[in-house]
Amino acid sequence: MKTGTRFLASICAAALVTLTGIAPAKAAAWPAKPVKLLVGFAPGGPTDVVARILAEEMSRNLGQPIIVENKAGAAGNIAAASLIQAPADGYTLLYNTSSIVIAPWVYKQVGFDPLKDFTPIGLTAAVPLVLAVNMKVKANSARELFDMIKGKPGQLNYASSGTGAIEHLTAANMLSIVGGEAVHIPYKGTAPAQVDLIAGATQFTTTTLNTVIAPVKAGNLKPLAITSKTRSPVMPDVPTVDESLIPGFESLAWQGIVAPAGTPADVVETLNKAIAKALQSDTVKEKLAQQGTIILGGSAAEYDAYIRSEYKRWGEVVKASGAQHVN
């Protein structure tokens, strides 16, 4: 082809592209619009507070707003089930708790499979639980409380935020390991459970650290042990269950972020990096430390493995507790 002919052909091709609008375009960098973060619990609750702290910092890292949307109900199941209806494009995420691996063992129908329906993005944080008693209970250690339980089988009551909640299962697991029989009293949430515990309607509970800080400081509840492997800076004088009652014991109300199954790998990587950067922020560290929240992090693959191991672990605890199929 002669030079002039080649030049004319290139001009024609350019004109055709302009007219038809089919010129190959570079894909827009993700995210190109705001991201929605579902939270399965009420605004102002402990999970919601942590989610909003992280969402604010991640928004800065991503260059797009992360909008928190609360879909409370059914121990987080409503939000988790709604996530799988969203497109797998990374623009709708779930700030999940450990309930996503517990609920399928407890309820007949939850609307999701934690091992198949989600793409793990990253583990964010965890909140230890505190074994706490009413101030009139004479036990001053976890060992003394469980000796009391053994001496009065079925006569002591323990409160939780609901059947199958991690508060319930942690206490049930401890009872199973140490031995002893106590009556579980489920409530519709942590707040009413705590009110009755303080009033003396129940004798003990295992509840998340960030919800027990205020009543402990006020002298309304007595903390006996904490369920993390190490003591918390928030309550340094409270021993761990590991050191005071059950060697090796740990139970954490952990949290993370997942997306619908099939979310592209590059989007997952971008989000995971945004989480990691947020968790290293001094502002985030300070705010989470005030609540006794433990910062975790890690890769998406590590979170996937963690979800699978926790699913197996809590399945065994649920079966032993008899909390299966409550709906």
Side-chain angles (χ1 to χ4, degrees):
M1 184 182 291
K2 295 182 179 180
T3 302
T5 305
R6 286 199 299 267
F7 178 74
L8 181 59
S10 64
I11 292 294
C12 291
L16 180 62
V17 165
T18 301
L19 290 171
T20 60
I22 60 172
K26 185 177 180 180
W30 191 94
K33 61 180 182 180
V35 176
K36 183 190 299 182
L37 182 63
L38 304 178
V39 175
F41 303 90
T47 302
D48 177 73
V49 169
V50 177
R52 290 178 186 276
I53 290 171
L54 287 173
E56 183 179 359
E57 192 66 28
M58 287 177 64
S59 294
R60 296 190 183 96
N61 299 337
L62 293 172
Q64 288 286 350
I66 295 182
I67 302 168
V68 174
E69 181 177 315
N70 296 89
K71 285 184 173 290
N77 295 346
I78 292 174
S82 68
L83 177 71
I84 65 176
Q85 305 301 322
D89 55 10
Y91 287 106
T92 304
L93 308 171
L94 172 69
Y95 193 80
N96 70 276
T97 67
S98 44
S99 66
I100 66 166
V101 299
I102 295 173
W105 296 107
V106 175
Y107 298 92
K108 291 179 181 178
Q109 295 181 340
V110 292
F112 63 87
D113 183 328
L115 305 185
K116 297 179 180 179
D117 292 333
F118 304 132
T119 296
I121 302 297
L123 191 60
T124 57
V127 182
L129 284 78
V130 175
L131 174 64
V133 297
N134 173 273
M135 296 301 292
K136 293 181 180 179
V137 175
K138 294 182 179 180
N140 291 309
S141 69
R143 177 63 63 186
E144 288 181 4
L145 175 63
F146 276 82
D147 285 345
M148 187 181 298
I149 292 170
K150 289 180 181 179
K152 300 179 179 180
Q155 295 183 43
L156 273 67
N157 301 328
Y158 67 99
S160 82
S161 62
T163 299
I166 195 165
E167 298 98 327
H168 167 210
L169 297 177
T170 298
N173 194 21
M174 292 168 66
L175 286 164
S176 175
I177 295 171
V178 178
E181 181 183 344
V183 179
H184 173 230
I185 309 295
Y187 290 80
K188 293 183 178 180
T190 301
Q194 200 168 95
V195 168
D196 270 12
L197 177 63
I198 292 172
T202 57
Q203 285 72 54
F204 72 99
T205 189
T206 51
T207 188
T208 49
L209 173 60
N210 48 9
T211 61
V212 83
I213 292 173
V216 167
K217 285 185 176 180
N220 293 324
L221 289 177
K222 181 167 43 175
L224 301 184
I226 192 166
T227 62
S228 49
K229 281 291 185 68
T230 58
R231 296 192 182 196
S232 171
V234 176
M235 294 183 183
D237 296 331
V238 178
T240 65
V241 174
D242 169 55
E243 67 182 287
S244 62
L245 185 66
I246 307 169
F249 188 88
E250 182 181 42
S251 180
L252 302 173
W254 49 268
Q255 306 166 1
I257 295 177
V258 296
T263 299
D266 59 332
V267 173
V268 172
E269 183 178 1
T270 298
L271 283 165
N272 183 269
K273 288 180 178 178
I275 291 172
K277 189 174 181 180
L279 291 175
Q280 292 305 309
S281 161
D282 290 338
T283 301
V284 170
K285 286 181 178 179
E286 182 179 352
K287 289 180 177 178
L288 295 187
Q290 291 172 356
Q291 302 180 58
T293 302
I294 302 168
I295 291 176
L296 297 175
S299 69
E302 288 171 333
Y303 189 31
D304 180 67
Y306 186 75
I307 288 174
R308 293 176 184 278
S309 66
E310 285 286 280
Y311 178 74
K312 180 179 178 181
R313 174 201 174 180
W314 288 110
E316 294 170 353
V317 174
V318 169
K319 290 176 183 177
S321 72
Q324 288 176 284
H325 302 160
V326 298
N327 62 338

